[in-house]
Amino acid sequence: MQGFEHLVRKQDGQPIRYLVVDDSIFARKNLQRILAMFGGQVAGEAGDGRAAIEAYNRVHPDLVLMDVTMPDMEGIEAAEQIINHHAEARIVMVSSVGYQENVSESLRKGALFFVQKPPKPELLYEVIKRVLGDAAIVVAP
Amino acid sequence: MRLELIQPFINATDAVLAEMLQAPAKVAQVAMDEAVYRRKGVAASVAIHGDIEGHVIFDLQTETALRVAGALAGKEVDPKEETARETVCELANMVVGNAVTLLNDQGHTFKVLPPELHTAEKGYAGGRQSEALVMCFDTPIGKVYLNIGLDYGRQGSTLAPEANA
């Protein structure tokens, strides 16, 4: 397994806190496993868009990984609502359906990146690093 | 059956299994399904809408699904039926989602619905205006089956079966 330098918050050196949103427990566990490789901490989980909004308000994560197709409220709508109330929110969409329409709409609604499932750890790492920008620093594990 | 519609499913299955298992998946068998496909283990069905209406069944032996879950967890997982179902549904979601992405990138218009557990013993068979295909993939952790049923006769279908297919 590839080793990754850990990403931590620049402001306090603490692990990056993630909110993982997916209706599949399997997918959430897979993302958790990958984020652990980056030294991250899953601060919250949600299984649909509505729960994601509630979870965001509760945990104020550094970054959200959001599925698109979910029951109750889909990911793109949830992303839009989160960003409407928290302009600073950083949201990366993670979906198996990566055709242009989905990608464009996600970015139009305020998501910062779109990653197609299954997420490749090395790609996700680079995306997270880029999205966090100056808010994160890299440290040895 | 139109090869340009099937090839993305083969490519997507190969890519998803390779990424999830860190090992290659090889097509062991492809057959036009004249008779009804029979479920082999834990299966999920994903509906497709657009240029063609159809369904894809993704089918694994329970033990194989648990091995996938274990490979991801880095340890053996509790041998629960629920874990196997979760694994199969998400694998089906990824395979069909990736295949539909490839098809849309080629100019087709398809949408997928979320996977549903397929508990019926039978799958999809070909008919007068429909075609069905069964593919078996060999992977290091067991066999993976895909049953693709495409209905050219339904409303919304804009493609026809390939001549002499």
Side-chain angles (χ1 to χ4, degrees), chain B residues 89-132:
Chain B
C89 280
E90 183 59 10
L91 286 176
N93 179 43
M94 286 192 281
V95 166
V96 180
N98 275 260
V100 164
T101 300
L102 293 170
L103 286 165
N104 283 16
D105 287 346
Q106 290 169 14
H108 294 289
T109 305
F110 290 106
K111 293 217 174 215
V112 289
L113 295 184
E116 291 179 354
L117 208 59
H118 181 81
T119 53
E121 289 303 314
K122 293 178 180 175
Y124 303 104
R128 269 188 64 198
Q129 289 192 295
S130 62
E131 288 179 327

Side-chain angles (χ1 to χ4, degrees), chain A residues 22-27 29-30 33 67 69-70 95-102 116-122, chain B residues 15-16 19-20 68-69 71-74 86-87 90-91 93-94 97-98 100-101 104-105 110-114:
Chain A
D22 200 302
D23 57 325
S24 163
I25 298 168
F26 177 90
K29 280 187 178 163
N30 188 36
R33 177 185 64 91
D67 187 19
T69 307
M70 292 185 289
S95 171
S96 60
V97 189
Y99 46 75
Q100 198 54 43
E101 184 187 335
N102 261 2
Q116 191 168 17
K117 285 183 186 173
K120 291 181 170 62
E122 57 277 17
Chain B
V16 168
E19 180 61 31
M20 301 308 281
V68 176
L72 281 186
E86 263 289 331
T87 303
E90 183 59 10
L91 286 176
N93 179 43
M94 286 192 281
N98 275 260
V100 164
T101 300
N104 283 16
D105 287 346
F110 290 106
K111 293 217 174 215
V112 289
L113 295 184

